[in-house]
Amino acid sequence: ARRAAPAAMAAAADAALARLKLPSNESLQEGHALAADEQIYLADTITPRLRRRQATLAAIDVTSCVRIFRGMITNNKGPLDQRLREAIEAYDRAEVFFETDVLAEPDLHGEDVLRRAMNTIVGGEDLYGHLVWCECLGDISAVVDAGVQPADAVKMRCRVMEAVRRLQYRHKTAHIRYKQVYILDLSEISLGSLITSSKVREMTKAIVGGANDFFPETLWKLFIVNAPFVFRSAYSVVSPVIHPTTKEKIKILGSSFLDELERNGVPLVAVPRRLGGGAPDRPLSTLLEGLGPTNPPSLTEPVPLEATLPPPQAMNPV
């Protein structure tokens, strides 16, 4: 009976997706294991170049191994040698990141100020089962005035991203999902300080994009809502730190955004009430209890560390 509920929900979601002319749940690459040629490339080309070779992959959960490969190789753009370098860096970073439980560490100086400035809340799920979460980009100058350094802000943001990652795994869906829908509300943004203060710009870059390198391929859609008309100019300030593949997932919207969210598979019941939806406003800080290190559901058996098939003559994983 417990298995039937997610399956029935997935069927209803697929019917809604069909009405919206969006891809079905089953068609999403996200719910499938690596293909044979991808596994071979991981084993033969990436693993020997990792800091600790097989031990590096063993320190990362299987779903994250797949997620990183998809983000850095399969869905990345650019020359294959560049993608390979980025994949190696991402796997080595992930090994170091997963060595400690970042959510168990004490707050850094000024972390409470950043928490208030971003006001992170969690909503429901989109029609694919992606967790929907929202932040309001508030008074970043207060974060600067509190003496927070950009490097520490990145660490703070990594804690938020890791909490959301664990919450995504806690949700039981019919399909494996490791991506999220992120809504960034700009209704309280201070464009004046962003434009006139280099310290505020540097801090904003650290907050918006600094943690991305530690969480590749976790973004399904980013909706920037309540964006002022002049935001497109300010957006150029932070856009250089956003990966090109990520940019394709971004939609910049004004104050009438709910219809666009629904057209992209985010029903009103999944949007926090603060933004006009029907989901309760659940502050992220209230959901951390018991959110210890978790092993996410595996997309496959452990990623093979040795190739079982002859390596292809030329791989084009895109």
Side-chain angles (χ1 to χ4, degrees):
R2 289 185 178 180
R3 293 181 181 177
M9 292 174 63
D14 275 336
L17 289 168
R19 289 192 294 271
L20 292 167
K21 295 181 170 54
L22 295 174
S24 68
N25 267 285
E26 184 61 30
S27 68
L28 260 61
Q29 174 195 66
E30 187 180 358
H32 299 279
L34 294 179
D37 61 337
E38 292 175 318
Q39 292 189 15
I40 292 171
Y41 191 79
L42 175 60
D44 286 359
T45 305
I46 294 178
T47 303
R49 292 171 169 82
L50 298 178
R51 185 179 58 173
R52 294 199 301 138
R53 299 169 64 88
Q54 289 92 338
T56 294
L57 291 185
I60 308 170
D61 64 83
V62 175
T63 300
S64 291
C65 283
V66 173
R67 171 175 60 79
I68 292 170
F69 187 95
R70 291 263 166 76
M72 297 294 98
I73 299 294
T74 310
N75 300 327
N76 202 349
K77 293 185 177 180
L80 186 56
D81 59 345
Q82 175 184 328
R83 287 181 278 167
L84 174 60
R85 286 195 305 272
E86 292 179 354
I88 294 168
E89 292 170 359
Y91 279 115
D92 284 340
R93 268 196 307 270
E95 181 196 8
V96 174
F97 183 80
F98 286 123
E99 283 179 348
T100 59
D101 180 6
V102 295
L103 298 188
E105 296 177 351
D107 279 5
L108 295 171
H109 170 74
E111 192 158 2
D112 58 330
V113 180
L114 179 55
R115 197 177 291 125
R116 288 194 297 272
M118 297 305 293
N119 193 12
T120 309
I121 58 175
V122 178
E125 298 173 357
D126 73 354
L127 295 176
Y128 293 106
H130 300 119
L131 190 69
V132 178
W133 63 294
C134 166
E135 292 186 308
C136 183
L137 188 62
D139 187 8
I140 304 304
S141 62
V143 180
V144 174
D145 293 342
V148 176
Q149 298 301 309
D152 285 338
V154 171
K155 295 178 182 177
M156 298 173 192
R157 297 299 292 164
C158 281
R159 286 155 63 93
V160 171
M161 295 287 288
E162 175 62 7
V164 173
R165 187 185 78 94
R166 295 185 192 181
L167 282 173
Q168 174 71 65
Y169 291 148
R170 177 184 282 181
H171 283 236
K172 304 300 181 184
T173 58
H175 301 273
I176 299 297
R177 294 289 177 256
Y178 50 73
K179 299 183 183 182
Q180 307 111 29
V181 173
Y182 178 46
I183 304 174
L184 181 61
D185 179 13
L186 299 186
S187 61
E188 298 181 15
I189 190 172
S190 173
L191 285 176
S193 62
L194 185 63
I195 294 172
T196 61
S197 172
S198 61
K199 289 185 177 180
V200 171
R201 289 197 297 273
E202 185 180 6
M203 183 62 67
T204 302
K205 289 180 183 179
I207 293 170
V208 173
N212 290 346
D213 287 342
F214 294 89
F215 296 90
E217 200 69 359
T218 56
L219 181 66
W220 172 249
K221 295 288 184 183
L222 165 57
F223 298 97
I224 300 177
V225 303
N226 290 315
F229 179 75
V230 295
F231 172 75
R232 294 184 184 277
S233 297
Y235 177 68
S236 64
V237 174
V238 297
S239 61
V241 303
I242 302 176
H243 197 281
T245 303
T246 303
K247 287 183 185 179
E248 295 179 355
K249 305 174 183 179
I250 298 175
K251 288 184 175 292
I252 303 177
L253 307 170
S255 57
S256 300
F257 54 84
L258 293 175
D259 287 347
E260 183 66 19
L261 266 61
E262 287 194 289
R263 282 192 289 269
N264 283 271
V266 184
L268 289 181
V269 294
V271 179
R273 288 178 185 145
R274 189 177 76 192
L275 292 175
D281 293 337
R282 298 180 296 164
L284 180 63
S285 57
T286 66
L287 304 175
L288 299 183
E289 185 176 352
L291 202 61
T294 57
N295 290 319
S298 293
L299 287 167
T300 178
E301 294 299 316
V303 176
L305 301 180
E306 295 182 3
T308 56
L309 298 173
Q313 293 299 314
M315 180 186 177
N316 181 15
V318 174

